[in-house]
Amino acid sequence: ETGVTQTPRHLVMGMTNKKSLKCEQHLGHNAMYWYKQSAKKPLELMFVYNFKEQTENNSVPSRFSPECPNSSHLFLHLHTLQPEDSALYLCASSPFGQGNNNSPLHFGNGTRLTVT
Amino acid sequence: SQKIEQNSEALNIQEGKTATLTCNYTNYSPAYLQWYRQDPGRGPVFLLLIRENEKEKRKERLKVTFDTTLKQSLFHITASQPADSATYLCALPSGGGADGLTFGKGTHLIIQP
């Protein structure tokens, strides 16, 4: 149990579908992150939320839309994705954002997304 | 932005030996550096953090060094065991006051019995 739970674990969707990934953390942290992990590439930071406010959007296409209703929950809404968007999407949390603090990231086990 | 280089090929080590993994970075020297372990199908797990004013950090069989002159960190696992087989990731602050960490591609370590 990592303290960060992601659902679903696996998702297959067509290019015209709309789906959402969910992340929940039970650690009392104030910062939450979405990372994308593709084969043979380093983790790519997508979005950062600090105290529910988005502090980073790393030039992510608009077909990915994050939502952070409170400090414990983070969503990633997906629509009209491309096959190259297939990857492992990882959620993480930390007590505070990295810009102010050196606290480690606590990751969930990810959602394996396949776009057909 | 920060660029990180880690041995991209798998590293095979005999059980009981010391495994040494390398992390090199370009551009500015970070205030700290972190190491993570990732197993297949799982998210990365934090192992160790070392600050720029620390030369060495230890935790059980793990040791991390940080050389800001060489812009390099070394990660050592002593008395390695097959259970240590995993991918090890190096991470640095993204810089410029930005939130989030920048990760290397990771080194796949295989400990052979």
Side-chain angles (χ1 to χ4, degrees):
Chain A
E1 179 59 52
T2 68
V4 178
T5 304
Q6 290 188 244
T7 54
R9 287 300 311 276
H10 301 272
L11 178 63
V12 179
M13 60 186 287
M15 289 190 284
T16 58
N17 290 160
K18 286 185 181 182
K19 296 285 185 184
S20 296
L21 310 185
K22 179 182 176 183
C23 176
E24 183 175 359
Q25 58 98 359
H26 309 279
L27 301 168
H29 291 168
N30 296 299
M32 295 188 78
Y33 311 75
W34 279 116
Y35 277 89
K36 174 183 178 183
Q37 188 173 36
S38 306
K40 305 212 185 287
K41 293 175 75 173
L43 274 76
E44 299 171 56
L45 179 64
M46 300 175 72
F47 301 104
V48 182
Y49 279 83
N50 213 349
F51 291 93
K52 300 190 298 177
E53 298 296 320
Q54 187 180 121
T55 57
E56 297 293 331
N57 176 337
N58 218 17
S59 303
V60 181
S62 59
R63 57 186 185 271
F64 295 92
S65 174
E67 178 190 0
C68 188
N70 55 61
S71 292
S72 298
H73 293 86
L74 186 64
F75 295 89
L76 188 61
H77 304 298
L78 316 171
H79 63 99
T80 58
L81 293 193
Q82 305 298 314
E84 59 264 29
D85 296 322
S86 299
L88 180 67
Y89 288 85
L90 290 160
C91 172
S93 69
S94 66
F96 302 98
Q98 293 300 308
N100 300 322
N101 194 283
N102 57 20
S103 50
L105 299 182
H106 295 252
F107 283 89
N109 286 322
T111 294
R112 173 67 63 186
L113 174 68
T114 303
V115 181
T116 61
Chain B
S1 63
Q2 193 66 274
K3 284 191 176 9
I4 301 172
E5 292 177 7
Q6 294 187 253
N7 314 63
S8 57
E9 296 176 10
L11 183 63
N12 285 272
I13 299 291
Q14 197 71 32
E15 181 179 6
K17 302 289 187 186
T18 295
T20 299
L21 285 64
T22 305
C23 173
N24 294 299
Y25 58 90
T26 59
N27 301 337
Y28 69 93
S29 275
Y32 61 89
L33 187 149
Q34 300 183 13
W35 283 90
Y36 289 76
R37 168 183 173 144
Q38 186 173 23
D39 291 283
R42 315 278 286 186
V45 174
F46 170 76
L47 295 174
L48 279 168
L49 179 151
I50 187 164
R51 295 179 177 80
E52 61 180 338
N53 60 349
E54 298 175 314
K55 296 294 184 195
E56 182 180 297
K57 199 79 168 280
R58 290 176 186 260
K59 178 182 174 183
E60 298 172 354
R61 294 183 297 109
L62 308 181
K63 184 179 86 171
V64 172
T65 63
F66 195 6
D67 189 326
T68 55
T69 302
L70 292 178
K71 296 190 175 182
Q72 181 180 80
S73 174
L74 298 178
F75 177 84
H76 306 272
I77 305 175
T78 58
S80 58
Q81 305 166 2
D84 295 326
S85 299
T87 296
Y88 291 86
L89 308 171
C90 166
L92 307 174
S94 297
D99 281 336
L101 294 175
T102 297
F103 284 80
K105 287 185 185 179
T107 297
H108 183 41
L109 176 65
I110 301 167
I111 306 299
Q112 295 173 332

